Amino acid sequence: MLMSLSVRNFLLIDEAHLDFETGFHVLTGETGAGKSILLDALGLIRGERASAQQVRAGAKQAVVEALFSTDGRPEALQWLEEMGFEPAEEILLVREVSRQGKSLCRINGRTVTVQMLRDLAARLIDVYGQHEHQSLLQPDRYARMLDGYGDASHQTLLEEYRRAHDRFTRADEDLRAAQLGEEERLQRIDWLLFQLGEIRDLSPAPGEEEELEAEYRRLSHAGRILEDASRGYEMLDEGGQGVRAATDLVAEIVETVEGLVKYDPGLAGILEMLQSAAANLSEAAHELRRYLETVEADPQKLESVQERLHQLRRLMRKYGGSVESILESAATMENELSRLRNYEADLQERSKARTRAWEEMVSTARRLSLNRLALAERIQVKVQEQLRELAMPRAQFQIEVRWLGETEKGFRSDGADQVEFLFSANPGEPPAPLSKVASGGELSRLMLALKVVLADADDVPTLIFDEVDAGMSGQAAVVVGEKLVQVARRRQVICVTHLPQIAAMADGHHRIRKEQTEESTRTIVEVLEEADRIEEVARMLAGSTATEITRRQAQEMLERRAAAQSNSRLG
């Protein structure tokens, strides 16, 4: 929901801050006071066009900030995740307009494009009135509104269609990818044979790179290895130049300790360790001698190992960085080569798979379309009832569900239907698309009727109604107020109104007034407490200046509202 709206240096507003809670809120004020300015400010937040003329005279820039609570709304949270934002319980949308007309947009402090701001705002707030960027004038949203009215079985069918559409899309892409011309197919076979040939010629084995590296190190240092290993063997087993061999020294020590054990058996453990050391030294000398017999300098073998290691690493760079990736690439190419050599059979199988997916998608789409027709009929009847109660007894509302499944292009991710909302406010005029026939006030009342009927069909948490009371008075205005209260039980509702009957029913009340001096004119926004609300509703009842009679009437209206809310909570 919209938690707060701050506006600075925007048109006639030098600075205004509005706080909102859940429920139903109204904005009131005399004609020309500037109520529409706040809607224009919200228009900037919703991505509408900015201009230098919106900056207040004498200011460098205009700034509009709107703080929203996500309230766990899945669409807004999903959008944030997809766009790389951190999950957040609150979202701050900011729009700045410079004196030169340049615009800057921010979401939670991060600079974004106008389109990104528009996309997110559309998931948070909707305005119904004389605004061209509203959901009721966007036909691409009609199917979603219609589907939202459906029960659990309809939602299951919609999801079933989406899965069928995904399967057909994949099957179609697979078939298209396999459909090659004969010349292209032969060229591809030649290329695969070449690539596989260089892999087969080398025949790499898992772990071979490490083995080659070890062998290369041994061969490239063969001279040093022979010299050091020979010296070690001499020190172990041969001795020389007045130095006794290690095996001889240890054997002599063993003999000495054996004599000592005769006198002190407690030295038996030490004797065992020395005997073990003597055996280990003898074994080490034997193994080192065998190793010396295997080591030799071999320049030709060194060159061969170096060349194979070079060729192996060349293939590794080409096919993914490891011997395993070379072998995986070879297996993939083998499969493709087999498919290309059996092209006709593979193509036929893919074509059959596409046909099965197509038939399944078409069948599911037809069932979904029939469901939508039934939903449309039920919604039409209920909306007509609401319009009669909203002082539009002769208005006609129809939902047209047109089948587009005669061609493949007609199948989209949400079905094969074109959903259109048709409306006629006057008798004798056939219903036509909303954008061509409905005024701002008519759209507001129609959307109010739809929101009452489609209470949970739309995920947008904040609804703003402008001119919903146009041409109304008396009991009709009371009905409008009651319906706004009804919608506000599930959504936050903000309404710009001229009617006291509607203003008196609100949970929150802001008054907009114009203040003029010889030097300037500015618009001021005030939050009204109970006494101020009585005065404002009384003014609205009187049409100009409040009187004692209208004050008493206003107090009674507000008391009735408070009593109704209390009874509702008790109920």
Side-chain angles (χ1 to χ4, degrees):
M1 70 170 190
L2 178 62
M3 299 171 65
S4 66
L5 176 68
S6 297
V7 184
R8 296 192 299 277
N9 298 322
F10 182 77
L11 294 174
L12 296 180
I13 299 177
D14 56 0
E15 186 167 0
H17 182 83
L18 295 80
D19 290 315
F20 297 99
E21 301 290 339
T22 57
F24 178 29
H25 300 262
V26 292
L27 306 177
T28 65
E30 296 181 1
T31 301
K35 298 184 292 296
S36 63
I37 293 178
L38 289 175
L39 296 182
D40 291 338
L42 278 170
L44 285 183
I45 289 296
R46 297 175 64 244
E48 294 180 9
R49 184 178 179 84
S51 70
Q53 286 71 36
Q54 293 171 322
V55 181
R56 181 174 169 80
K60 293 183 179 179
Q61 66 175 7
V63 181
V64 181
E65 299 179 351
L67 180 64
F68 293 87
S69 168
T70 57
D71 290 329
R73 294 289 175 182
E75 281 202 12
L77 294 171
Q78 181 180 352
W79 188 93
L80 288 173
E81 182 180 355
E82 290 174 353
M83 294 297 108
F85 286 86
E86 292 294 325
E89 295 181 357
E90 296 180 353
I91 301 174
L92 179 63
L93 306 186
V94 179
R95 187 85 179 270
E96 299 175 2
V97 184
S98 71
R99 171 60 61 188
Q100 292 73 37
K102 294 182 179 180
S103 173
L104 181 66
C105 308
R106 292 192 180 92
I107 297 175
N108 284 353
R110 174 174 142 189
T111 301
V112 297
T113 65
V114 174
Q115 185 60 51
M116 291 175 69
L117 186 75
R118 185 181 299 124
D119 288 346
L120 179 56
R123 291 162 169 80
L124 297 170
I125 188 168
D126 222 339
V127 179
Y128 306 110
Q130 293 181 338
H131 295 265
E132 59 185 25
H133 303 298
Q134 55 171 287
S135 63
L136 204 53
L137 297 181
Q138 298 174 15
D140 59 333
R141 296 184 66 173
Y142 294 163
R144 183 169 59 181
M145 295 173 70
L146 180 62
D147 289 330
Y149 189 70
D151 58 14
S153 63
H154 181 81
Q155 305 306 322
T156 300
L157 179 58
L158 182 61
E159 186 59 34
E160 182 183 340
Y161 171 79
R162 286 173 177 155
R163 290 195 297 268
H165 181 268
D166 288 344
R167 284 192 291 271
F168 172 74
T169 300
R170 290 194 298 271
D172 184 62
E173 290 173 351
D174 286 347
L175 179 60
R176 291 177 186 275
Q179 288 174 328
L180 303 174
E182 183 64 15
E183 183 178 350
E184 186 179 357
R185 183 176 73 90
L186 293 175
Q187 288 177 349
R188 183 68 178 173
I189 289 174
D190 286 342
W191 183 85
L192 289 170
L193 287 172
F194 175 79
Q195 302 296 321
L196 285 168
E198 65 177 359
I199 295 175
R200 290 167 179 165
D201 288 344
L202 193 64
S203 297
E208 183 178 1
E209 182 189 18
E210 293 77 9
E211 294 175 3
L212 288 172
E213 286 177 340
E215 188 171 6
Y216 175 76
R217 285 193 298 271
R218 286 194 300 272
L219 290 170
S220 59
H221 297 88
R224 178 65 180 272
I225 290 172
L226 280 170
E227 180 181 344
D228 290 350
S230 296
R231 187 170 68 254
Y233 175 72
E234 289 176 358
M235 294 171 66
L236 274 173
D237 201 52
E238 293 182 351
Q241 298 180 353
V243 178
R244 296 179 64 187
T247 51
D248 293 340
L249 285 171
V250 173
E252 185 176 334
I253 295 170
V254 168
E255 185 178 346
T256 300
V257 175
E258 283 176 341
L260 291 173
V261 170
K262 296 177 182 178
Y263 305 109
D264 187 352
L267 295 174
I270 295 174
L271 177 60
E272 288 180 7
M273 287 187 286
L274 287 170
Q275 290 171 334
S276 176
N280 286 337
L281 283 174
S282 179
E283 182 66 21
H286 177 70
E287 291 297 324
L288 192 55
R289 181 175 180 179
R290 289 179 58 190
Y291 174 75
L292 281 169
E293 293 173 353
T294 66
V295 177
E296 62 177 342
D298 190 340
Q300 289 184 341
K301 189 173 184 180
L302 174 62
E303 183 179 351
S304 174
V305 169
Q306 190 173 12
E307 176 61 22
R308 184 167 180 81
L309 190 58
H310 171 75
Q311 294 298 330
L312 182 64
R313 286 173 172 169
R314 181 181 65 82
L315 288 184
M316 288 167 59
R317 287 192 299 270
K318 187 173 181 179
Y319 294 107
S322 68
V323 174
E324 288 72 19
S325 64
I326 296 174
L327 299 176
E328 289 173 5
S329 297
T332 300
M333 287 188 285
E334 290 278 10
N335 290 334
E336 185 179 358
L337 186 61
S338 175
R339 180 176 60 80
L340 290 173
R341 284 172 168 168
N342 298 280
Y343 177 68
E344 294 299 333
D346 178 72
L347 203 62
Q348 188 176 13
E349 184 56 39
R350 288 171 187 257
S351 180
K352 289 180 180 178
R354 183 188 185 278
T355 299
R356 289 193 297 270
W358 165 261
E359 291 172 350
E360 180 188 3
M361 180 180 68
V362 172
S363 173
T364 310
R366 288 192 180 278
R367 288 189 287 129
L368 179 62
S369 186
L370 290 173
N371 263 28
R372 284 173 170 166
L373 284 169
L375 289 174
E377 290 179 6
R378 296 208 302 269
I379 293 171
Q380 287 172 181
V381 172
K382 291 181 178 294
V383 171
Q384 288 286 163
E385 293 173 357
Q386 296 293 328
L387 289 174
R388 282 194 293 272
E389 295 177 11
L390 291 169
M392 300 177 74
R394 298 187 177 184
Q396 298 179 64
F397 174 73
Q398 295 178 8
I399 300 177
E400 181 184 82
V401 181
R402 185 159 56 92
W403 174 253
L404 301 179
E406 302 304 327
T407 65
E408 189 175 309
K409 291 182 179 179
F411 290 86
R412 298 168 301 194
S413 61
D414 62 349
D417 299 310
Q418 177 68 51
V419 179
E420 185 70 74
F421 286 2
L422 306 177
F423 181 74
S424 172
N426 304 306
E429 294 181 1
L434 292 178
S435 59
K436 298 179 180 179
V437 297
S439 68
E442 291 166 346
L443 279 175
S444 290
R445 271 176 273 177
L446 176 56
M447 179 49 74
L448 179 56
L450 280 168
K451 283 299 177 183
V452 172
V453 175
L454 308 176
D456 296 315
D458 198 353
D459 196 50
V460 178
T462 298
L463 311 177
I464 297 181
F465 290 91
D466 184 23
E467 292 193 2
V468 71
D469 55 7
M472 287 188 176
S473 62
Q475 184 58 34
V478 173
V479 173
V480 170
E482 291 172 346
K483 294 191 182 301
L484 288 167
V485 170
Q486 183 178 346
V487 174
R489 294 188 185 122
R490 291 181 172 87
R491 301 283 188 271
Q492 182 189 50
V493 174
I494 301 172
C495 179
V496 177
T497 183
H498 297 280
L499 296 182
Q501 295 92 333
I502 294 176
M505 294 185 183
D507 302 305
H509 193 154
H510 289 82
R511 178 175 61 198
I512 293 91
R513 63 182 178 86
K514 186 181 292 184
E515 184 179 90
Q516 291 180 314
T517 66
E518 293 183 359
E519 292 80 17
S520 65
T521 301
R522 63 176 185 155
T523 292
I524 298 174
V525 183
E526 302 169 321
V527 60
L528 301 184
E529 301 301 336
E530 197 66 22
D532 293 325
R533 286 194 72 179
I534 292 173
E535 191 68 19
E536 176 66 4
V537 174
R539 179 198 65 77
M540 297 170 74
L541 283 164
S544 56
T545 305
T547 67
E548 287 303 317
I549 294 175
T550 58
R551 288 189 183 95
R552 285 196 297 272
Q553 290 175 332
Q555 185 169 359
E556 289 175 2
M557 293 169 70
L558 290 167
E559 286 174 353
R560 283 197 299 271
R561 165 194 156 273
Q565 286 184 332
S566 177
N567 292 335
S568 176
R569 285 193 293 271
L570 290 174

